[in-house]
Amino acid sequence: MEVVILADEAAIGVLVADAVAALVRRRPAAVLGVATGSTPLPVYRELVRRARDGLAPDWSGVTFFTLDEYVGLPAGSAASYRSTIARELTDPLGIDPAQVHGPDPDPDRLPDAGERYEREIHEAGGVDLQLLGIGADGHLAFNEPGSSLVSRTRIKTLTARTRADNARFFGSADGVPRHVLTQGLGTIGEAGHLVLVAVGEGKSAAVAAAVEGPVSAGCPASVMQLHGHATVLLDPAAAAGLERVAYYREVWEGKPDWQGI
Ligand code: GLP
């Protein structure tokens, strides 16, 4: 696992946008896994800025898969992850909604929603690059602590802590749905490149457990240690709980530019 500590979220946004753009140029039919929450927003803003400045790669062949979705929201809710990705990324990039996939929270179709989503990802050829945030409790997508490290897309129940953390999108914790559909940790682990971003002191304990702790369902993001190409991008506050900071900085400073992340 590569750990890169940069000055701030804007610098992280530029580096991740570089990696995404390089992938799309190299592979015009790339499959991009996108995350929601506040953390990926600087990446999306940078990609949209580049498109507005005429610096974007050609997005017309790219397929997008979101990580997760709330269950029980009214259709078209602005808080749904489908709406969020459209608003923050794919609409501003001018992407056809048919290129964007998400788990289907239709209540009448829930029993096989996970299986259907797995099939869609498989039929697209799998995810090339998966963007990830991390929950303050170490969750990845909506895989809460205790999730199987080999889990597939399925329904999960959110913890009280995650509902409190996401209350800002719903006005109150009580307004946050209890149930979600989420790619499993096994599903996420099949992506070609995992790119996890974390900023702020509130994530430092989860980051330390994920990066330097034991691989454990107790910290779902620790499953990244089992992946052959995983990059963790942090600001100094999110890196504050790590023991090997000096080493991570030395590795990054000595890395030739051509390698990217
Ligand atoms: C939600 C999402 C995760 C995200 C996490 C952290 O629970 N399902 O994918 O990583 O929140 O969100 P934020 O980036 O807003 O801290």
Side-chain angles (χ1 to χ4, degrees), residues 33-118:
V34 284
T36 40
S38 306
T39 311
L41 295 179
V43 176
Y44 300 157
R45 275 188 219 117
E46 177 64 17
L47 290 170
V48 170
R49 185 191 66 74
R50 291 181 190 194
R52 290 202 178 118
D53 292 351
L55 301 170
D58 177 5
W59 291 102
S60 63
V62 176
T63 306
F64 296 77
F65 284 90
T66 60
L67 278 172
D68 43 13
E69 184 57 277
Y70 292 107
V71 170
L73 293 179
S77 163
S80 76
Y81 282 173
R82 181 172 280 276
S83 302
T84 303
I85 283 298
R87 186 171 59 243
E88 303 293 348
L89 182 66
T90 53
D91 284 356
L93 289 179
I95 285 157
D96 180 344
Q99 292 168 244
V100 186
H101 302 254
D104 174 10
D106 181 334
D108 296 332
R109 291 155 54 87
L110 273 179
D112 68 346
E115 218 174 288
R116 282 186 284 119
Y117 200 51
E118 291 281 334

Side-chain angles (χ1 to χ4, degrees), residues 35-40 67-68 81 132-135 139-142 162 166 168-169 203:
T36 40
S38 306
T39 311
L67 278 172
D68 43 13
Y81 282 173
L132 295 162
I134 185 171
H139 73 237
L140 213 52
F142 270 139
T162 297
N166 288 353
R168 65 192 191 282
F169 299 113
K203 299 292 175 71

Side-chain angles (χ1 to χ4, degrees), residues 49-226:
R49 185 191 66 74
R50 291 181 190 194
R52 290 202 178 118
D53 292 351
L55 301 170
D58 177 5
W59 291 102
S60 63
V62 176
T63 306
F64 296 77
F65 284 90
T66 60
L67 278 172
D68 43 13
E69 184 57 277
Y70 292 107
V71 170
L73 293 179
S77 163
S80 76
Y81 282 173
R82 181 172 280 276
S83 302
T84 303
I85 283 298
R87 186 171 59 243
E88 303 293 348
L89 182 66
T90 53
D91 284 356
L93 289 179
I95 285 157
D96 180 344
Q99 292 168 244
V100 186
H101 302 254
D104 174 10
D106 181 334
D108 296 332
R109 291 155 54 87
L110 273 179
D112 68 346
E115 218 174 288
R116 282 186 284 119
Y117 200 51
E118 291 281 334
R119 212 176 308 131
E120 282 179 54
I121 296 171
H122 180 74
E123 283 168 4
V127 172
D128 292 306
L129 186 154
Q130 178 63 59
L131 291 170
L132 295 162
I134 185 171
D137 61 0
H139 73 237
L140 213 52
F142 270 139
N143 294 281
E144 297 284 25
S147 293
S148 157
L149 298 178
V150 295
S151 48
R152 311 303 304 189
T153 306
R154 68 219 183 285
I155 296 180
K156 288 290 287 183
T157 303
L158 296 181
T159 61
R161 181 172 188 185
T162 297
R163 292 177 72 224
D165 285 348
N166 288 353
R168 65 192 191 282
F169 299 113
F170 293 88
S172 71
D174 283 343
V176 181
R178 286 181 187 278
H179 297 111
V180 294
L181 280 162
T182 181
Q183 286 190 34
L185 295 172
T187 317
I188 293 167
E190 286 171 4
H193 183 191
L194 301 183
V195 178
L196 183 141
V197 178
V199 295
E201 201 257 324
K203 299 292 175 71
S204 62
V207 166
V211 173
E212 294 181 343
V215 175
S216 159
C219 178
S222 67
V223 76
M224 291 187 60
Q225 295 179 35
L226 299 174

Side-chain angles (χ1 to χ4, degrees), residues 238-260:
L242 294 170
E243 282 178 16
R244 296 191 287 268
V245 166
Y247 176 67
Y248 304 137
R249 288 190 187 279
E250 181 190 342
V251 171
W252 180 246
E253 279 156 21
K255 192 175 182 184
D257 284 346
W258 58 262
Q259 279 189 326

